């Protein structure tokens, strides 16, 4: 198969809720067979965040080395679809299915693009994980380690995330904000509400800490990034009794931050506030990614020029949205993200226009030619 629509259908019909393994990787490997690629499939990690299957494929040798990165895992489809979510049904000029947009469609378009490119020099690689939508512990990070073992280091990397907003080609991502989740637990001493001197209520301490945290203004944004923000995402006491002072109170925070900050520094700031109000507070941070920025340059120009040549659009360079695996790949080389319109990603009846798959294939082929020139 060389057509992006047929390739996308072959991937979508393989249910691959994160972490993806097995059939969907069989399908991708079959698409690369006979095309001169060396394919390395491996499994990394153990429960609870693994095992995760990954695929690394490369063709050619030496510089320039252009990499395409993406993920075959998808979020759960949920209920209420107008058709079976893994049926890959085509109707009304649209291909429906979980992963059609995020991001099996882009992977299919890139593979189809390879059939249009005559590679005369350099290296092309695919960095494909089965765990981007999940914890992302044993996915792209494990692939980066595998590449280092094999002496593979890209010069440029394109991630096929669905970045387009209103029309294919209107937006590419040159950076992403970082993310840290923080759990705060304030222990207390359970007791009867009529005898407060015999208890220690943790709720007021936690509330005071959260009020101080909520008052923080981290920054006003930068030339490329929106302001960083702190959000309280959960509060838990779990006290069903009206006459009992609880033994503990808990909260969870999520901070999305720009390149003015580091995750560990923000976690330390939150810890200081919590401990000031409750000296025995337990603060547990988890940094899922640091902010990164690929300054406008060679890679963004290559992608922008290819988009302009095939759509007439000049894409906006953006850092909006959530995190992606680019946060890991940015440590290797310049990285930008460009892919399909994202209006239906993670939604019921996720769908991609057949015309957009064809156009994306042409753009990706043009990008590869320019990158290897």
């Amino acid at each position: 198969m060389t057509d992006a629509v047929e390739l996308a259908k072959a991937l979508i019909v393989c249910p691959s809720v994160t972490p993806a393994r097995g059939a969907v990787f069989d399908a991708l490997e079959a698409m690369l067979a006979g095309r001169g690629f060396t394919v390395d499939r491996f499994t990394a990690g153990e429960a609870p965040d693994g095992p995760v299957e990954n695929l690394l494929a490369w063709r050619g040798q030496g510089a320039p080395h252009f990499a395409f990165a993406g993920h075959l895992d998808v979020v759960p489809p949920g209920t209420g679809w107008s058709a079976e979510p893994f049926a890959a049904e085509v109707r009304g000029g649209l291909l429906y299915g979980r992963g059609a947009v995020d991001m099996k469609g882009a992977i299919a378009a890139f593979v189809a693009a390879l059939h249009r490119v005559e590679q005369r020099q350099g290296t092309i690689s695919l960095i494909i994980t089965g765990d981007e939508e999940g914890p992302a512990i044993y996915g792209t990070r494990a692939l980066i380690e595998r590449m280092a073992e094999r002496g593979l280091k890209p010069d440029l990397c394109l991630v096929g995330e669905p970045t387009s907003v209103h029309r294919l080609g209107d937006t590419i991502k040159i950076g992403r904000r970082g993310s840290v989740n923080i759990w705060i637990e304030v222990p207390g001493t359970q007791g009867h509400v009529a005898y407060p001197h015999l208890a220690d209520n943790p709720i007021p301490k936690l509330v005071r800490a959260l009020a101080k945290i909520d008052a923080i203004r981290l920054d006003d944004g930068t030339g490329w990034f929106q302001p960083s923000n702190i959000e309280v995402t959960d509060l838990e006491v779990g006290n069903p009794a009206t006459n009992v002072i609880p033994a503990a109170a808990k909260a969870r925070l999520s901070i999305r931050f720009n390149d003015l900050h580091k995750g560990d520094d923000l976690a330390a700031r939150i810890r200081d506030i919590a401990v000031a109000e409750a000296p025995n507070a337990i603060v547990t941070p988890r940094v899922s990614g640091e902010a990164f920025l690929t300054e406008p340059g060679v890679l963004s120009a290559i992608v922008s020029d290819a988009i302009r040549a095939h759509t007439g659009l000049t894409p906006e360079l953006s850092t909006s949205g959530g995190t992606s695996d680019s946060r890991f790949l940015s440590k290797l080389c310049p990285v930008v993200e460009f892919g399909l319109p994202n209006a239906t990603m993670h939604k019921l009846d996720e769908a991609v226009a057949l015309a957009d798959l064809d156009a994306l294939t042409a753009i990706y082929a043009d990008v590869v030619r320019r990158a290897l020139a």
Side-chain angles (χ1 to χ4, degrees), residues 94-298:
L94 300 174
L95 170 61
Y96 288 83
R98 175 57 85 224
V101 169
D102 189 15
M103 59 172 285
K104 293 180 178 180
I107 293 174
F110 188 77
V111 173
L114 295 176
H115 289 269
R116 304 184 184 185
V117 176
E118 183 178 353
Q119 183 181 348
R120 296 188 177 91
Q121 62 176 342
T123 306
I124 297 173
S125 63
L126 288 88
I127 307 167
I128 308 296
T129 181
D131 180 25
E132 192 270 351
E133 301 289 6
I137 302 297
Y138 300 113
T140 296
R141 286 189 272 197
L143 278 157
I144 290 172
E145 293 176 0
R146 194 78 159 197
M147 294 175 72
E149 293 171 1
R150 295 187 172 277
L152 293 169
K153 187 177 186 301
D155 299 302
L156 303 171
C157 181
L158 174 64
V159 180
E161 287 289 341
T163 61
S164 300
V165 180
H166 303 293
R167 293 177 56 191
L168 178 69
D170 62 7
T171 306
I172 65 176
K173 299 288 178 71
I174 62 169
R176 295 274 191 163
R177 294 196 298 171
S179 173
V180 56
N181 291 301
I182 304 173
W183 289 261
I184 303 173
E185 179 177 356
V186 178
T189 301
Q190 183 174 306
H192 196 294
V193 295
Y195 302 92
H197 59 289
L198 299 178
D200 180 17
N201 196 332
I203 296 176
K205 299 174 186 179
L206 180 59
V207 169
R208 288 195 297 270
L210 292 177
K212 289 185 176 180
I213 292 168
D214 187 59
I216 295 173
R217 185 180 182 89
L218 289 173
D219 57 70
D220 295 316
T222 69
W224 284 110
F225 286 97
Q226 67 193 83
S228 304
N229 61 297
I230 306 174
E231 304 299 332
V232 179
T233 58
D234 189 35
L235 283 172
E236 178 186 349
V237 176
N239 179 18
T242 60
N243 60 350
V244 174
I245 293 172
K250 303 176 183 179
R252 185 182 65 228
L253 311 176
S254 180
I255 307 178
R256 296 300 172 97
F257 57 93
N258 58 40
D259 58 350
L260 295 175
H261 308 277
K262 295 294 184 182
D264 287 342
D265 296 337
L266 292 169
R269 186 172 178 180
I270 298 300
R271 180 180 290 107
D272 289 345
I273 293 173
V275 171
E277 294 298 332
N280 58 347
I282 301 167
V283 180
T284 306
R286 183 171 182 175
V287 180
S288 55
E290 301 289 349
F292 82 92
L293 175 68
T294 298
E295 292 281 355
V298 172

